[in-house]
Short mmCIF file of all heavy atoms in Angstrom, two decimals:
data_model
loop_
_atom_site.label_atom_id
_atom_site.label_comp_id
_atom_site.label_asym_id
_atom_site.label_seq_id
_atom_site.Cartn_x
_atom_site.Cartn_y
_atom_site.Cartn_z
N GLY E 66 -6.74 22.04 -13.29
CA GLY E 66 -6.67 20.85 -14.12
C GLY E 66 -7.04 19.63 -13.31
O GLY E 66 -6.75 19.56 -12.11
N MET E 67 -7.71 18.68 -13.94
CA MET E 67 -8.07 17.42 -13.29
C MET E 67 -7.15 16.31 -13.81
O MET E 67 -6.96 16.18 -15.03
CB MET E 67 -9.53 17.04 -13.58
CG MET E 67 -10.54 18.07 -13.14
SD MET E 67 -12.26 17.58 -13.55
CE MET E 67 -12.26 17.74 -15.35
N CYS E 68 -6.61 15.51 -12.91
CA CYS E 68 -5.69 14.45 -13.31
C CYS E 68 -6.01 13.20 -12.50
O CYS E 68 -6.23 13.29 -11.28
CB CYS E 68 -4.25 14.89 -13.06
SG CYS E 68 -3.00 13.72 -13.65
N SER E 69 -6.04 12.04 -13.16
CA SER E 69 -6.42 10.80 -12.48
C SER E 69 -5.24 9.83 -12.39
O SER E 69 -5.39 8.63 -12.57
CB SER E 69 -7.60 10.14 -13.20
OG SER E 69 -7.32 9.95 -14.57
N ARG E 70 -4.08 10.37 -12.08
CA ARG E 70 -2.89 9.56 -11.85
C ARG E 70 -1.91 10.36 -11.01
O ARG E 70 -2.05 11.57 -10.84
CB ARG E 70 -2.23 9.16 -13.17
CG ARG E 70 -1.77 10.35 -14.01
CD ARG E 70 -0.86 9.94 -15.13
NE ARG E 70 -0.52 11.01 -16.05
CZ ARG E 70 0.40 11.94 -15.84
NH1 ARG E 70 1.09 11.95 -14.69
NH2 ARG E 70 0.65 12.87 -16.75
N GLU E 71 -0.88 9.69 -10.51
CA GLU E 71 0.21 10.39 -9.84
C GLU E 71 0.94 11.27 -10.84
O GLU E 71 1.15 10.89 -11.99
CB GLU E 71 1.20 9.38 -9.25
CG GLU E 71 0.63 8.48 -8.16
CD GLU E 71 0.62 9.13 -6.79
OE1 GLU E 71 1.05 10.31 -6.70
OE2 GLU E 71 0.19 8.47 -5.84
N LEU E 72 1.34 12.44 -10.41
CA LEU E 72 2.16 13.28 -11.25
C LEU E 72 3.59 12.74 -11.30
O LEU E 72 4.11 12.22 -10.32
CB LEU E 72 2.20 14.72 -10.73
CG LEU E 72 0.90 15.52 -10.76
CD1 LEU E 72 1.17 16.95 -10.29
CD2 LEU E 72 0.26 15.53 -12.15
N LYS E 73 4.20 12.85 -12.47
CA LYS E 73 5.62 12.52 -12.60
C LYS E 73 6.43 13.61 -11.89
O LYS E 73 5.96 14.74 -11.74
CB LYS E 73 5.99 12.45 -14.08
CG LYS E 73 5.21 11.39 -14.84
CD LYS E 73 5.42 11.51 -16.35
CE LYS E 73 4.52 10.54 -17.10
NZ LYS E 73 4.61 10.71 -18.57
N PRO E 74 7.64 13.29 -11.42
CA PRO E 74 8.42 14.29 -10.68
C PRO E 74 8.57 15.62 -11.40
O PRO E 74 8.44 16.68 -10.79
CB PRO E 74 9.78 13.59 -10.49
CG PRO E 74 9.46 12.14 -10.49
CD PRO E 74 8.33 11.98 -11.47
N GLU E 75 8.82 15.55 -12.71
CA GLU E 75 9.00 16.80 -13.45
C GLU E 75 7.69 17.57 -13.57
O GLU E 75 7.69 18.81 -13.66
CB GLU E 75 9.59 16.53 -14.84
CG GLU E 75 8.74 15.67 -15.76
CD GLU E 75 9.02 14.18 -15.64
OE1 GLU E 75 9.54 13.74 -14.59
OE2 GLU E 75 8.71 13.44 -16.61
N GLU E 76 6.56 16.87 -13.57
CA GLU E 76 5.25 17.55 -13.59
C GLU E 76 4.95 18.16 -12.23
O GLU E 76 4.45 19.29 -12.14
CB GLU E 76 4.16 16.56 -13.98
CG GLU E 76 4.26 16.05 -15.40
CD GLU E 76 3.32 14.89 -15.68
OE1 GLU E 76 2.84 14.24 -14.72
OE2 GLU E 76 3.08 14.62 -16.88
N ALA E 77 5.25 17.42 -11.17
CA ALA E 77 4.97 17.90 -9.82
C ALA E 77 5.69 19.22 -9.54
O ALA E 77 5.21 20.05 -8.77
CB ALA E 77 5.38 16.85 -8.79
N ALA E 78 6.85 19.41 -10.18
CA ALA E 78 7.60 20.65 -9.98
C ALA E 78 6.92 21.85 -10.62
O ALA E 78 7.22 22.99 -10.28
CB ALA E 78 9.01 20.49 -10.55
N GLN E 79 5.98 21.60 -11.53
CA GLN E 79 5.32 22.68 -12.26
C GLN E 79 3.97 23.08 -11.68
O GLN E 79 3.42 24.11 -12.08
CB GLN E 79 5.12 22.27 -13.72
CG GLN E 79 6.40 22.07 -14.49
CD GLN E 79 6.11 21.71 -15.94
OE1 GLN E 79 5.46 20.71 -16.22
NE2 GLN E 79 6.58 22.53 -16.86
N PHE E 80 3.43 22.27 -10.78
CA PHE E 80 2.06 22.48 -10.32
C PHE E 80 1.95 22.47 -8.80
O PHE E 80 2.74 21.81 -8.11
CB PHE E 80 1.13 21.38 -10.85
CG PHE E 80 0.98 21.34 -12.35
CD1 PHE E 80 1.64 20.39 -13.10
CD2 PHE E 80 0.19 22.27 -13.00
CE1 PHE E 80 1.50 20.34 -14.48
CE2 PHE E 80 0.05 22.23 -14.38
CZ PHE E 80 0.71 21.27 -15.12
N ASN E 81 0.94 23.17 -8.31
CA ASN E 81 0.40 22.88 -6.99
C ASN E 81 -0.62 21.77 -7.18
O ASN E 81 -1.40 21.81 -8.12
CB ASN E 81 -0.30 24.11 -6.39
CG ASN E 81 0.68 25.14 -5.87
OD1 ASN E 81 1.89 25.00 -6.07
ND2 ASN E 81 0.16 26.18 -5.25
N GLN E 82 -0.62 20.77 -6.32
CA GLN E 82 -1.57 19.67 -6.47
C GLN E 82 -2.24 19.37 -5.15
O GLN E 82 -1.67 19.54 -4.08
CB GLN E 82 -0.87 18.42 -6.99
CG GLN E 82 0.25 17.88 -6.10
CD GLN E 82 0.80 16.56 -6.59
OE1 GLN E 82 0.06 15.59 -6.77
NE2 GLN E 82 2.11 16.52 -6.82
N VAL E 83 -3.48 18.91 -5.25
CA VAL E 83 -4.22 18.48 -4.07
C VAL E 83 -5.01 17.24 -4.43
O VAL E 83 -5.62 17.17 -5.50
CB VAL E 83 -5.15 19.60 -3.54
CG1 VAL E 83 -6.16 20.04 -4.60
CG2 VAL E 83 -5.88 19.15 -2.28
N VAL E 84 -4.97 16.23 -3.56
CA VAL E 84 -5.74 15.01 -3.76
C VAL E 84 -7.18 15.29 -3.33
O VAL E 84 -7.42 15.67 -2.19
CB VAL E 84 -5.16 13.84 -2.94
CG1 VAL E 84 -6.02 12.59 -3.11
CG2 VAL E 84 -3.72 13.56 -3.36
N ILE E 85 -8.13 15.11 -4.25
CA ILE E 85 -9.53 15.34 -3.90
C ILE E 85 -10.26 14.03 -3.58
O ILE E 85 -11.32 14.05 -2.96
CB ILE E 85 -10.27 16.10 -5.01
CG1 ILE E 85 -10.33 15.29 -6.31
CG2 ILE E 85 -9.64 17.47 -5.24
CD1 ILE E 85 -11.33 15.82 -7.32
N ALA E 86 -9.72 12.90 -4.02
CA ALA E 86 -10.31 11.60 -3.73
C ALA E 86 -9.32 10.53 -4.20
O ALA E 86 -8.32 10.84 -4.84
CB ALA E 86 -11.65 11.42 -4.44
N ARG E 87 -9.61 9.29 -3.87
CA ARG E 87 -8.80 8.16 -4.35
C ARG E 87 -9.73 7.15 -5.02
O ARG E 87 -10.92 7.08 -4.70
CB ARG E 87 -8.01 7.52 -3.20
CG ARG E 87 -7.01 8.48 -2.59
CD ARG E 87 -6.09 7.82 -1.58
NE ARG E 87 -5.22 8.81 -0.98
CZ ARG E 87 -4.09 9.27 -1.52
NH1 ARG E 87 -3.70 8.78 -2.70
NH2 ARG E 87 -3.37 10.18 -0.92
N ASP E 88 -9.17 6.39 -5.94
CA ASP E 88 -9.96 5.46 -6.73
C ASP E 88 -9.13 4.23 -7.05
O ASP E 88 -7.90 4.28 -7.02
CB ASP E 88 -10.40 6.15 -8.03
CG ASP E 88 -11.33 5.31 -8.88
OD1 ASP E 88 -12.13 4.54 -8.29
OD2 ASP E 88 -11.28 5.42 -10.11
N GLY E 89 -9.80 3.14 -7.35
CA GLY E 89 -9.12 1.96 -7.86
C GLY E 89 -9.24 1.88 -9.36
O GLY E 89 -10.11 2.52 -9.97
N VAL E 90 -8.34 1.14 -9.99
CA VAL E 90 -8.45 0.82 -11.41
C VAL E 90 -8.96 -0.62 -11.50
O VAL E 90 -8.27 -1.55 -11.08
CB VAL E 90 -7.10 0.96 -12.14
CG1 VAL E 90 -7.24 0.54 -13.60
CG2 VAL E 90 -6.59 2.39 -12.04
N ALA E 91 -10.18 -0.78 -11.97
CA ALA E 91 -10.79 -2.11 -12.06
C ALA E 91 -10.49 -2.74 -13.41
O ALA E 91 -10.53 -2.07 -14.45
CB ALA E 91 -12.30 -2.01 -11.87
N VAL E 92 -10.17 -4.03 -13.40
CA VAL E 92 -10.00 -4.80 -14.63
C VAL E 92 -11.33 -5.50 -14.89
O VAL E 92 -11.81 -6.26 -14.04
CB VAL E 92 -8.86 -5.82 -14.50
CG1 VAL E 92 -8.72 -6.65 -15.78
CG2 VAL E 92 -7.55 -5.11 -14.18
N ILE E 93 -11.95 -5.24 -16.04
CA ILE E 93 -13.33 -5.68 -16.26
C ILE E 93 -13.44 -6.61 -17.46
O ILE E 93 -12.67 -6.53 -18.42
CB ILE E 93 -14.28 -4.48 -16.45
CG1 ILE E 93 -13.91 -3.66 -17.70
CG2 ILE E 93 -14.29 -3.60 -15.20
CD1 ILE E 93 -14.97 -2.64 -18.10
N VAL E 94 -14.44 -7.50 -17.39
CA VAL E 94 -14.76 -8.43 -18.48
C VAL E 94 -16.28 -8.50 -18.61
O VAL E 94 -17.03 -7.98 -17.78
CB VAL E 94 -14.19 -9.85 -18.21
CG1 VAL E 94 -12.67 -9.82 -18.14
CG2 VAL E 94 -14.77 -10.45 -16.92
N HIS E 95 -16.73 -9.17 -19.66
CA HIS E 95 -18.16 -9.41 -19.88
C HIS E 95 -18.70 -10.27 -18.73
O HIS E 95 -18.00 -11.18 -18.25
CB HIS E 95 -18.35 -10.12 -21.21
CG HIS E 95 -19.77 -10.21 -21.66
ND1 HIS E 95 -20.64 -11.18 -21.22
CD2 HIS E 95 -20.46 -9.45 -22.54
CE1 HIS E 95 -21.81 -11.02 -21.79
NE2 HIS E 95 -21.74 -9.97 -22.60
N PRO E 96 -19.93 -10.04 -18.27
CA PRO E 96 -20.48 -10.83 -17.16
C PRO E 96 -20.51 -12.33 -17.43
O PRO E 96 -20.44 -13.13 -16.48
CB PRO E 96 -21.90 -10.28 -17.01
CG PRO E 96 -21.84 -8.90 -17.56
CD PRO E 96 -20.84 -8.96 -18.69
N ALA E 97 -20.61 -12.75 -18.69
CA ALA E 97 -20.67 -14.18 -19.01
C ALA E 97 -19.29 -14.84 -19.03
O ALA E 97 -19.19 -16.07 -19.14
CB ALA E 97 -21.34 -14.38 -20.37
N ASN E 98 -18.23 -14.08 -18.92
CA ASN E 98 -16.89 -14.65 -18.92
C ASN E 98 -16.70 -15.48 -17.64
O ASN E 98 -16.94 -14.98 -16.54
CB ASN E 98 -15.85 -13.53 -18.98
CG ASN E 98 -14.45 -14.03 -19.29
OD1 ASN E 98 -14.02 -15.06 -18.76
ND2 ASN E 98 -13.75 -13.30 -20.13
N PRO E 99 -16.28 -16.74 -17.74
CA PRO E 99 -16.14 -17.58 -16.54
C PRO E 99 -14.95 -17.21 -15.67
O PRO E 99 -14.86 -17.66 -14.52
CB PRO E 99 -15.98 -18.99 -17.12
CG PRO E 99 -15.39 -18.78 -18.47
CD PRO E 99 -15.99 -17.50 -18.98
#
């Protein structure tokens, strides 16, 4: 399974997990927004 967030504690207990990469969450607007 692919997941793009931290697992909750109860979820982590159900899975083996491995971090394959890290990413940021960008807040985006239209280019013309001042």
Side-chain angles (χ1 to χ4, degrees):
M67 301 179 290
C68 185
S69 54
R70 60 167 173 81
E71 297 277 1
L72 294 184
K73 300 170 186 175
E75 62 270 23
E76 293 169 342
Q79 295 182 301
F80 296 103
N81 283 7
Q82 61 174 304
V83 58
V84 177
I85 64 165
R87 297 188 183 277
D88 184 33
V90 176
V92 179
I93 63 168
V94 297
H95 190 277
N98 193 318

